[in-house]
Structures are given as C-alpha cells and as structure tokens.
Amino acid sequence: MCIRDRCMTVLLQKKIVDNLCALGQADRPPGMMPLVLDTMQQLLEGSRQGLMDHHHQITEPVNKLIQSAALVEGSANKIRLLHLVQTMFKKIRHKPELMEYLVKRDDQGELSEFFMFSTLVNHINDPDEAGVHARRGALTGITVAEKHPALLRFIAHTTTFCSD
C-alpha cells in the first residue's frame, strides 16, 4: 500500500474527509475551498482503485463540496472544481455501479438530477483549462453512463450536452 493510500485510509477512518469537505463548503477560513478542492482531487487521483469501495465515505462529502463550489464565482475555483469532477468520473469508470451514488431520483425512481455531469456541461465550451477538464470529464462520464441506458437518456434529454 503506497503512502497516499495509507493517508487516505486514515482520512476516511477518522472522518477527516468529511470535516475537510465541510470546511471547503463553508470556505472557512476564507480561501479554504480552493485548497480542499485541490487536496481532494490529488488524493483521489493518486489513490488506488479499491478506494471507491468506501464510496459513501467519499462520494457524499465530495458531492456536497462540488455543489457548494459550483455556486462560487471565479475561474480559480472553476478549474479546480472541474478537475475534481473529472477525477471522480475517472475513478468511477472502473466501478460503474457507483454512478448511482452521483444521481438523484424522484419519488417514482426516475432520474431527476445528475449534478456533476451538468456542472461539466456548463463549461464544456470554455476555451481555457476549465473547458479542457469539462470536456475530458464529460467524455469519461458518458463512457461510464454507457452501462446505464436510463442515465444516457437523462443526459440526452435533460442536459445541454446533446443540443446544438
């Protein structure tokens, strides 16, 4: 087990990922959000694939962090945010059943929200580094979604990804 995996294991066991993401969400102290976005992205990118077996301990706090970061204006956060989403999709690519933890369903069980993907699509035409992460993340997300026909239909009919 490499040092980054051991580090992530301790972070999960001690609920530090939860606390770190909560600090990032609140951006307290000021400037914490970009640091947490970077930290989570680097930890996820460098961690072994089996890490996503602890999906609930990772996806829930990271989802909340991503939703908070998406509301903040500024290109520095935008690039970090999109890079983190891209990394999440890369990790999930090897365990596509985890995609279920990234979507919301209504009372009838129909898909009602796929926030991470929508966040990427909003920046897919950006000409900067943020756009690069958005495009790469969206392609990885589509690749994972191929195993979920309902998710592909949702993407095609409710996001701007397939529109002119």
Side-chain angles (χ1 to χ4, degrees):
M1 183 181 284
C2 77
I3 192 149
R4 202 175 275 183
D5 288 341
R6 286 193 300 258
C7 178
M8 191 58 144
T9 300
V10 170
L11 292 174
L12 290 171
Q13 288 173 344
K14 303 287 184 181
K15 304 258 186 231
I16 295 171
V17 168
D18 290 341
N19 293 329
L20 193 60
C21 287
L23 289 171
Q25 281 178 261
D27 198 26
R28 297 281 185 250
M32 185 59 88
M33 183 176 285
L35 292 174
V36 174
L37 288 168
D38 277 345
T39 300
M40 291 310 302
Q41 186 279 320
Q42 290 171 14
L43 283 169
L44 286 170
E45 187 170 67
S47 298
R48 64 181 167 74
Q49 279 311 126
L51 171 72
M52 293 310 284
D53 291 340
H54 305 281
H55 53 82
H56 190 68
Q57 293 173 301
I58 294 170
T59 56
E60 187 174 320
V62 171
N63 251 333
K64 290 177 183 177
L65 175 64
I66 287 169
Q67 289 183 357
S68 294
L71 300 174
V72 176
E73 294 294 322
S75 61
N77 274 347
K78 179 174 72 169
I79 291 168
R80 289 175 171 96
L81 165 67
L82 297 173
H83 197 188
L84 176 57
V85 174
Q86 176 191 2
T87 302
M88 284 289 288
F89 282 153
K90 276 196 239 177
K91 288 296 176 178
I92 289 173
R93 177 179 54 206
H94 300 287
K95 198 162 185 171
E97 62 271 18
L98 295 180
M99 193 67 106
E100 189 63 35
Y101 294 94
L102 303 182
V103 299
K104 288 186 181 174
R105 295 185 179 274
D106 62 20
D107 294 336
Q108 289 78 35
E110 296 295 318
L111 289 170
S112 61
E113 185 180 297
F114 189 12
F115 188 81
M116 282 193 195
F117 191 82
S118 297
T119 300
L120 293 171
V121 171
N122 291 339
H123 299 284
I124 216 159
N125 292 318
D126 291 2
D128 57 5
E129 185 181 350
V132 172
H133 289 302
R135 288 185 289 279
R136 288 179 181 163
L139 289 174
T140 304
I142 290 291
T143 301
V144 176
E146 285 178 337
K147 295 175 176 62
H148 304 275
L151 191 51
L152 284 177
R153 280 191 302 278
F154 182 82
I155 290 169
H157 297 293
T158 62
T159 72
T160 58
F161 186 71
C162 296
S163 65
D164 293 331

